[in-house]
Amino acid sequence: MNRNDAIAIIAAEAETAGGYVFAGNGYNARALSALSGRPECFEMVGSMSLCPTLAAGFSRFTDAPVVVVEGDGNALMGLSGYPAAAAAATGTFVHVVLDNGQYETTGGQRTLADRVDLVTIARGAGYARTAAVREPDELRAALREALAQPTTTFVHLPTDLTPGAPHPRVPRHPREIAARFREAAARA
Amino acid sequence: MSQTQETALECALVEAIAAQGITFFTGVADSGFKRLITELEASELDRRYVLATREDNAVALATGAQLAGQRPLVFMESSGFGNILDALTSLAIVYDIPLVLFIAWAGYQGRDVPHHNSIGEPLEDILRALDVETVRVGLEDPPEAIAGAIGTALRAAERRSRPAAVLGIPANLRREGDA
């Protein structure tokens, strides 16, 4: 399973559950924009590592499920935010790490993810539930279960490199991403 | 004194800040926020207060809350300001997020220890260079004065759709004749 396969599944399951999706900067945000692009999607263009806490701050003030998708590079940079995200998240909060072992957006330099057990870190940081999945059906099942629980779930998913050209940059100024998202949240 | 009166007195600072429109508090501890944090812990704010682990995480939590319609306040010491430069520029500023930074200004006028002075002295200039409006107040000033400064910053933030900052000057660093 590659990034595009995973993000298509995540976006579809989140939409079915009436949830919001936040994607970390880089190719993950670009893929979310290209493969879903609903107003309930928030694509980060910068602030690497801050996606979980951003989403957790939002989750405190919505009754809907909130899903985070970030890569292993973002995850490793943002480990200090894991306890804060787990503590701040309210209701259904699902945090998915797509782990390709690379900083693919910057040219494929390796990360330290192969030395790190992110599931154990997430559990230690206070996530109520954790899951490690590999196949599309396992991801779907883990998401459906997590999206039905009023608590925090961390999901680790090793991914293959994604073939073909990356998706283009998010075709909206960040202020438009925020305005559109804010309006969608206010309508709900 | 009734328990209600006691609670009201204990939480005068948080209540004054809330009366200015702030609906969400997060941040990182500093000695200058002893009273604020004591009151936040004592207040029944429920979802409206949460601890952060680092200053940049606090800015991200606040930004998320703002997207849900809240008016956030992020407190931190100036020595942690360096941790938020990316969150400030590539998240709060570019996404047009009005939020208030309440910064305890260690190193004010270079009157502190060297590692506080080295960021404290240029702090206001750095904020100005980022086009973040600043308001000064004394950290030991009465609740109404502190809340008033935060209210001024909040209105500037909302008018300009970007962060604004309150710089809180520690009492021991203030001198007569300071601006």
Side-chain angles (χ1 to χ4, degrees):
Chain A
M1 193 168 16
N2 63 43
R3 175 179 50 249
N4 290 342
D5 304 327
I7 287 181
I9 291 170
I10 292 164
E13 294 297 330
E15 183 168 3
T16 302
Y20 297 87
V21 186
F22 290 77
N25 69 310
Y27 286 173
N28 287 322
R30 294 193 194 189
L32 180 67
S33 174
L35 298 172
S36 175
R38 288 189 303 139
E40 293 82 6
C41 292
F42 190 98
E43 300 93 358
M44 293 187 76
V45 294
S47 280
M48 182 167 176
S49 82
L50 296 182
C51 195
T53 38
L54 172 72
F58 179 78
S59 92
R60 288 179 85 74
F61 298 101
T62 181
D63 296 328
V66 172
V67 181
V68 174
V69 55
E70 65 174 355
D72 51 303
N74 259 273
L76 291 166
M77 186 183 282
L79 292 179
S80 71
Y82 278 33
T90 305
T92 302
F93 186 83
V94 187
H95 178 169
V96 186
V97 171
L98 307 184
D99 182 354
N100 61 9
Q102 294 193 5
Y103 297 103
E104 206 173 346
T105 308
T106 58
Q109 304 84 354
R110 75 180 181 93
T111 71
L112 292 178
D114 60 345
R115 303 170 48 89
V116 178
D117 181 347
L118 289 170
V119 172
T120 297
I121 288 175
R123 192 179 297 126
Y127 281 84
R129 306 172 69 253
T130 58
V133 299
R134 286 187 174 273
E135 302 302 326
D137 284 348
E138 293 173 344
L139 175 62
R140 267 188 216 99
L143 289 170
R144 280 175 197 175
E145 203 183 331
L147 286 165
Q149 309 282 337
T151 190
T152 50
T153 302
F154 180 87
V155 180
H156 180 258
L157 170 62
T159 49
D160 305 318
L161 296 185
T162 305
H167 293 288
R169 288 181 187 277
V170 181
R172 281 178 290 281
H173 189 281
R175 79 169 71 90
E176 292 165 39
I177 297 173
R180 209 170 73 121
F181 183 91
R182 208 185 274 115
E183 279 163 28
R187 270 199 308 273
Chain B
M1 189 185 292
S2 76
Q3 201 179 341
T4 320
Q5 280 172 318
E6 217 167 74
T7 309
L9 279 181
E10 274 173 12
C11 298
L13 178 56
V14 164
E15 283 172 12
I17 294 170
Q20 291 286 339
I22 295 293
T23 61
F24 179 66
F25 300 80
T26 187
V28 175
D30 176 64
S31 56
F33 298 130
K34 214 173 265 176
R35 174 172 183 179
L36 176 67
I37 292 169
T38 302
E39 289 194 16
L40 287 170
E41 299 283 352
S43 303
E44 287 177 8
L45 290 164
D46 191 25
R47 296 186 181 192
R48 302 191 180 283
Y49 168 53
V50 70
L51 289 168
T53 41
R54 257 172 66 117
E55 296 81 357
D56 54 353
N57 287 316
V59 170
L61 286 164
T63 298
Q66 201 283 332
L67 291 172
Q70 303 300 308
R71 294 188 166 109
L73 179 78
V74 178
F75 55 88
M76 72 187 73
E77 189 192 323
S78 51
S79 51
F81 176 73
N83 284 343
I84 72 161
L85 272 180
D86 189 29
L88 201 54
T89 55
S90 77
L91 183 61
I93 288 177
V94 289
Y95 284 91
D96 280 7
I97 307 295
L99 53 83
V100 179
L101 306 171
F102 185 15
I103 304 174
W105 199 353
Y108 172 68
Q109 299 278 343
R111 294 170 186 163
D112 210 327
V113 291
H115 60 285
H116 288 333
N117 292 340
S118 57
I119 180 66
E121 286 188 276
L123 178 66
E124 200 167 40
D125 289 339
I126 297 170
L127 286 162
R128 282 185 185 142
L130 296 171
D131 195 19
V132 172
E133 279 195 17
T134 59
V135 182
R136 293 181 177 201
V137 74
L139 273 179
E140 303 297 327
D141 283 358
E144 298 69 34
I146 292 173
I150 289 169
T152 301
L154 177 61
R155 286 185 287 280
E158 297 204 325
R159 188 179 68 246
R160 308 182 70 226
S161 296
R162 62 196 286 126
V166 174
L167 302 178
I169 303 168
N172 65 323
L173 302 182
R174 274 179 133 178
R175 305 278 187 274
E176 263 184 59
D178 281 354

